[in-house]
Amino acid sequence: MGTAPGPEGADSLQKDSKVAVVKVQAIGAAPRQVTMKGLYFQQSSTSEEIAFVFQERENLPVTEDNYVKLQVKACALSQINTKLLAEMKMEKDFFPVGREVAGIVLDVGSKVSFFQPGDEVAGILPLDSEDPGLCEAVRVHEHYLVHKPEKVTWTEAAGTIRDGVRAYTALHYLSHLSPGKSVLIMDGASALGTIAIQLAHHRGAKVISTACSLEDKQCLERFRPSIARVIDVSNGKAQVAESCLEETGGLGVDIVLDAGVRLYNKDDEPTVKLQLLPHKHDIITLLGVGGHWVTTEENLQLDPPDSHCLFLKGATVAFLNDEVWNLSNVQQGKYLCILKDVMEKLSTGVFRPQLDEPIPLYEAKVTMEVVQKNQGRKKQVVQF
């Protein structure tokens, strides 16, 4: 039988074991590179086709200055305007996907004054963001975020914030919506159309809208307060101008928010979907004196007779590009006010967005391909 170690032997064993433990701890504490998966898109150099890919990315660097580190809880999906990115010289090999986010503040830089760790926030990442919203964590300047009310869910916040900004831009800043005005909102059952109708009703306007299908028509007829008239354009036979003039007693509408317009005759349009859109002459005809036409058609072409008709009515044409808020630091204060008001109206039930069922991150690639082709109706939101 072996003899038990004496006091000196025991001390020696204890020291050896401590050294062993220290060595194991040192090995275990060796710096380990933490990575996250994020969704990016890559555009082909030979065509306009874009591919969505998940990429491993390193953990975010230390949060500095006015930046906030955000744990993403939800991110909404929207079409990517690749043409605008090219014009702004923002093309990259891999461009981050997902900008409308809601989440929890994890860390703040030394100059951050509006947020602290643990705050629930929502916002829209800028066009030049290096981080994809479709990732577990992002780094964003505090001026692109606002507090999320407790009553608002993550998916509601992320799924409404951009359409809320677009509706505010169109109806408040571009057309000066006020009580008693008549408003035509094209494709009212779309994500933007729904929020625009609810904002117009909240401001006391009379709303007319168009429906692109029987399902959309039934959806719009369920709105409360009710829409003054729903024009079904799904069969291509509805006369939008005549219906609007009839509804307004021949005066025409004060504000038009279109969802695209036909620039040519029906026979010259390439797709059936475009054939369902109103012709630009119809929009000009149904505008009232001093009316405002807010268009999403970036390539709108007006001939001299069109301009003359608008001149006689004293009407205006404005282009809806919500990215102007991201491109102008001068307007940052107004932009934050819009974001805050969108959250407040979500909290009070003024805005009731049409959201699809939340999807997990691993389905984001396939879903984004559908969104990019503009084949979805309800807003798609990824929930983490």
Side-chain angles (χ1 to χ4, degrees), residues 8 23 55 74 83 86 115 123 132 155 165 224 307 330 354 359:
E8 293 182 2
K23 285 182 179 177
Q55 293 265 42
K83 184 179 178 182
F115 305 103
T155 53
V165 169
R224 295 295 178 269
S307 299
V330 178
Q354 302 283 335
I359 60 174

Side-chain angles (χ1 to χ4, degrees), residues 110-332:
S110 58
K111 296 182 181 179
V112 171
S113 54
F114 298 117
F115 305 103
Q116 59 187 7
D119 284 351
E120 297 185 353
V121 299
I124 303 175
L125 303 183
L127 267 177
D128 58 356
S129 172
E130 296 181 2
D131 300 331
L134 286 166
C135 190
E136 295 172 13
V138 298
R139 201 171 48 121
V140 57
H141 196 286
E142 65 173 333
H143 289 164
Y144 293 103
L145 298 172
V146 292
H147 287 95
K148 179 188 77 68
E150 189 176 349
K151 292 169 63 177
V152 177
T153 67
W154 299 116
T155 53
E156 286 174 340
T160 310
I161 194 162
R162 187 176 182 188
D163 288 317
V165 169
R166 298 185 77 200
Y168 262 88
T169 304
L171 298 180
H172 280 283
Y173 289 95
L174 298 179
S175 57
H176 312 294
L177 178 69
S178 59
K181 296 278 188 179
S182 56
V183 184
L184 170 62
I185 296 173
M186 309 296 293
D187 195 10
S190 65
L192 170 61
T194 297
I195 299 299
I197 289 172
Q198 291 165 356
L199 180 59
H201 273 154
H202 180 71
R203 292 286 289 157
K206 176 181 181 179
V207 177
I208 303 169
S209 188
T210 61
C212 299
S213 67
L214 178 59
E215 184 182 359
D216 286 353
K217 183 173 183 288
Q218 292 170 343
C219 172
L220 292 172
E221 288 172 344
R222 291 194 295 268
F223 269 60
R224 295 295 178 269
S226 59
I227 298 171
R229 178 176 293 203
V230 177
I231 306 169
D232 185 359
V233 298
S234 60
N235 57 14
K237 296 179 181 178
Q239 300 296 322
V240 177
E242 290 180 9
S243 298
C244 289
L245 290 171
E246 182 181 313
E247 187 62 40
T248 57
L251 297 176
V253 299
D254 299 305
I255 298 169
V256 177
L257 172 56
D258 72 34
V261 294
R262 279 191 296 114
L263 303 179
Y264 314 104
N265 294 326
K266 284 189 178 183
D267 296 337
D268 299 325
E269 292 292 0
T271 65
V272 175
K273 187 173 182 180
L274 284 174
Q275 292 175 12
L276 295 179
L277 295 174
H279 195 280
K280 59 183 178 180
H281 295 151
D282 295 332
I283 301 290
I284 295 171
T285 300
L286 62 84
L287 265 180
V289 173
H292 301 279
W293 174 12
V294 181
T295 183
T296 59
E297 177 52 66
E298 60 185 65
N299 296 314
L300 180 67
Q301 299 174 23
L302 294 178
D303 301 320
D306 301 329
S307 299
H308 185 66
C309 188
L310 289 168
F311 167 77
L312 292 176
K313 293 186 175 188
T316 62
V317 179
F319 293 86
L320 177 57
N321 175 17
D322 54 299
E323 298 296 355
V324 295
W325 300 110
N326 276 313
L327 302 175
S328 172
N329 292 327
V330 178
Q331 304 290 341
Q332 200 67 49

